Amino acid sequence: MRCFGWLHCGIWILIITCVVFLSIETDAEERPNASCFNNTVCFCNEGFSGNGFNCSDVDECASSAHQCNISANCINTLGSYRCNCSAGFLAHDNSCIDVDECAQKLHSCDAHASCLNTAGSYNCSCHQGYTGDGFNCNDTDACASEVDKCHLNATCLNYQGSFKCSCKTGFTGNGSNCEDVDECLLNTDSGLTGNKSNYTDVNNSHTKIDKCHSDATCTNTPGSFRCICKTGYTGNGVDCADINECERGEHNCHVNSICVNSNGSHSCICSLGFNGNGLDCDDINECTQNSYHCGENAKCLNTPGSYKCKCDKGFYESGNSCQPHHNCVSSSDCSTNANCTELNGSYICQCKSGFIGDGYNCTAEGRSTPKTAKARVSKVQAQRQVIIGSVSGAVAFIIVVGIFILFVRLKWKKESKPMIRHASTVMGHIDEIMMEEQTDKVLDCVSVRSSRFSIPSLHLSSLSINRIHKGEGHL
């Protein structure tokens, strides 16, 4: 704009100045985040930054220009900021204090978890025996996972969050250590008391034990025991009954002894009339030991285990004594094959005709008893052997002599015929003599008789022997 005069220029300057002032006043009214002095100079308010004409909010939270507590959150506002306590904190006297969620039950931990308070928060951890994040906890089966420390002879019992070890029956201890209970020998030295039927261990837990019978033997085994009935008894060990070896025939007593049963055993006693230990019993010979009671006119006869008295011949038994037979009527000693003849107040027995014997024992003639038959057979066999031996000897002698004669004849025949003839004459005499002698011997030997057989005598109807008379030939 061009000024044509002072006046003209002055007017324009005034107009421009008014416009400027009006403009400044208007801007001051439109800028609430700034403060102006005399409507000429403006400055940005606190919390804002700019040239006074343009002011923008200062973010104290982002620029760390705030004074909030470490446990508070900074929230920016227009021209300022605000401090809000963080979760888990509570505003108190312009500060933030921690809230104990565990003590005030403000936590969300699982019922099987522990709550641990932290600054502004808390932690949850599952109890022992449980697994999880603390907010959810599950039971851990310690028995199934074998994390328990139970003894080999203990039983593991799992329950919520834990487990328990209990010694098995027959063992005693705390579960971590279990020792065998010697049920057969309970004593206070091992911390146990009892009487083989029950006992009390160190934990005062009672265990019932089947008691062995008084006639049984108790044998301890690991964790238990065994009852065995003693020899002579039968049963399961808890109940034992005596074995009657005598009735069952399971004894070794001698046949001549008596078996006496007793509890668990038996004894053997030799019967009356026998002597020994019951296992071996020998008969007592009362007759040789003079321990018999036979009267006069009687003999003692030993029997197995006893004896008997037998009246002598001519006497009969009358009560406990032997009375003499006075006649044949009262006598019964004679054989049925004998005749009784009374003689001067006594009698005599004689075998009947056709029988042989002493009158008390009579056997038919021709019938032999086993003894006599054996004797007769032996006698006949001996006679046979004699006959055979005699005949064999005679035959052998004749053969030897014949050979000798033949040899001599052959030899002499060569020397001279007269000599042969003379020898023949001599030999003829020898033959005649030998034949006569041998014939007599054979006749004597073979003429033998016996009760059972007979060999008839040999009879020679004719004996043609050419005798050589002395006159017919000479040596």
Side-chain angles (χ1 to χ4, degrees):
M1 179 181 65
R2 179 177 296 179
C3 192
F4 297 102
W6 289 100
L7 180 62
H8 184 259
C9 290
I11 294 169
W12 278 109
I13 293 171
L14 179 62
I15 292 171
I16 292 169
T17 303
C18 290
V19 171
V20 170
F21 278 107
L22 289 174
S23 177
I24 293 173
E25 185 177 357
T26 301
D27 289 339
E29 293 177 354
E30 291 179 358
R31 292 176 174 80
N33 298 325
S35 296
C36 298
F37 296 97
N38 298 321
N39 290 325
T40 56
V41 179
C42 292
F43 299 95
C44 291
N45 294 333
E46 185 179 0
F48 293 90
S49 63
N51 55 14
F53 297 98
N54 294 304
C55 295
S56 60
D57 179 56
V58 175
D59 190 349
E60 296 85 355
C61 297
S63 62
S64 298
H66 63 85
Q67 296 180 355
C68 291
N69 189 281
I70 191 173
S71 300
N73 294 323
C74 178
I75 299 175
N76 187 60
T77 60
L78 186 63
S80 184
Y81 63 93
R82 183 176 70 250
C83 296
N84 290 341
C85 290
S86 303
F89 292 89
L90 183 65
H92 180 70
D93 294 337
N94 296 323
S95 64
C96 294
I97 59 173
D98 177 54
V99 176
D100 191 343
E101 296 86 353
C102 299
Q104 297 183 24
K105 306 295 182 181
L106 300 176
H107 62 84
S108 301
C109 295
D110 190 270
H112 301 294
S114 298
C115 177
L116 178 63
N117 186 61
T118 60
S121 184
Y122 60 92
N123 291 329
C124 299
S125 59
C126 293
H127 293 157
Q128 184 177 0
Y130 293 87
T131 56
D133 58 3
F135 298 97
N136 293 289
C137 298
N138 298 315
D139 174 53
T140 300
D141 191 342
C143 300
S145 60
E146 297 182 354
V147 298
D148 63 279
K149 297 181 180 180
C150 295
H151 192 266
L152 178 65
N153 293 315
T155 301
C156 178
L157 177 64
N158 185 72
Y159 58 91
Q160 286 293 327
S162 186
F163 63 92
K164 182 179 179 181
C165 299
S166 299
C167 292
K168 298 178 181 177
T169 302
F171 296 88
T172 181
N174 58 9
S176 298
N177 293 291
C178 298
E179 296 180 356
D180 175 51
V181 175
D182 189 345
E183 296 85 353
C184 301
L185 186 63
L186 297 177
N187 55 72
T188 56
D189 294 339
S190 60
L192 305 175
T193 59
N195 57 1
K196 295 185 180 179
S197 62
N198 59 71
Y199 71 91
T200 303
D201 64 14
V202 293
N203 295 325
N204 293 322
S205 61
H206 299 275
T207 302
K208 179 68 178 175
I209 303 174
D210 291 332
K211 185 177 181 180
C212 290
H213 194 270
S214 58
D215 293 316
T217 301
C218 179
T219 303
N220 186 60
T221 59
S224 185
F225 65 102
R226 192 170 62 234
C227 298
I228 302 174
C229 292
K230 296 177 181 178
T231 303
Y233 294 88
T234 182
N236 58 8
V238 177
D239 295 308
C240 296
D242 173 56
I243 297 174
N244 192 326
E245 298 87 354
C246 300
E247 290 183 356
R248 297 172 64 168
E250 296 178 355
H251 60 85
N252 55 351
C253 295
H254 193 268
V255 66
N256 292 319
S257 68
I258 299 173
C259 177
V260 179
N261 186 61
S262 59
N263 286 332
S265 183
H266 67 281
S267 57
C268 303
I269 303 174
C270 290
S271 303
L272 185 65
F274 293 89
N275 185 29
N277 58 8
L279 303 179
D280 292 305
C281 297
D282 299 322
D283 175 51
I284 298 174
N285 193 329
E286 295 84 357
C287 299
T288 60
Q289 295 186 10
N290 295 325
S291 58
Y292 62 91
H293 301 284
C294 293
E296 292 186 57
N297 304 315
K299 293 180 181 179
C300 176
L301 298 178
N302 186 58
T303 59
S306 184
Y307 68 94
K308 66 180 180 178
C309 299
K310 183 178 182 181
C311 293
D312 296 336
K313 289 183 179 181
F315 294 85
Y316 67 93
E317 184 178 351
S318 176
N320 295 325
S321 63
C322 294
Q323 300 297 325
H325 291 295
H326 298 291
N327 51 52
C328 293
V329 177
S330 63
S331 173
S332 60
D333 290 341
C334 293
S335 173
T336 56
N337 296 316
N339 296 320
C340 180
T341 304
E342 294 184 359
L343 181 63
N344 296 328
S346 184
Y347 65 93
I348 185 172
C349 299
Q350 292 179 328
C351 292
K352 296 177 180 179
S353 178
F355 294 89
I356 58 173
D358 59 0
Y360 299 101
N361 294 291
C362 297
T363 307
E365 288 188 75
R367 181 181 298 174
S368 58
T369 61
K371 271 188 179 180
T372 56
K374 185 175 181 181
R376 288 178 180 175
V377 170
S378 300
K379 185 176 180 182
V380 171
Q381 289 177 349
Q383 290 175 349
R384 286 180 178 176
Q385 291 177 357
V386 171
I387 294 172
I388 294 172
S390 300
V391 174
S392 299
V395 172
F397 180 75
I398 292 172
I399 293 173
V400 171
V401 173
I403 294 174
F404 177 74
I405 293 173
L406 180 60
F407 175 76
V408 172
R409 283 185 176 180
L410 292 175
K411 184 176 181 182
W412 286 4
K413 186 175 181 180
K414 290 182 181 181
E415 293 179 357
S416 61
K417 290 181 179 180
M419 203 63 160
I420 294 172
R421 182 179 296 173
H422 183 69
S424 298
T425 302
V426 173
M427 293 305 295
H429 285 291
I430 293 173
D431 290 341
E432 182 180 354
I433 294 169
M434 288 182 63
M435 288 298 291
E436 290 178 355
E437 291 179 355
Q438 294 298 325
T439 300
D440 293 338
K441 288 182 179 179
V442 171
L443 291 176
D444 291 338
C445 291
V446 299
S447 181
V448 179
R449 294 181 182 273
S450 67
S451 62
R452 297 187 62 179
F453 64 88
S454 62
I455 302 176
S457 302
L458 297 175
H459 299 281
L460 299 177
S461 59
S462 61
L463 184 62
S464 298
I465 301 176
N466 294 322
R467 299 180 180 276
I468 303 175
H469 299 283
K470 292 180 181 180
E472 294 178 357
H474 302 278
L475 292 174

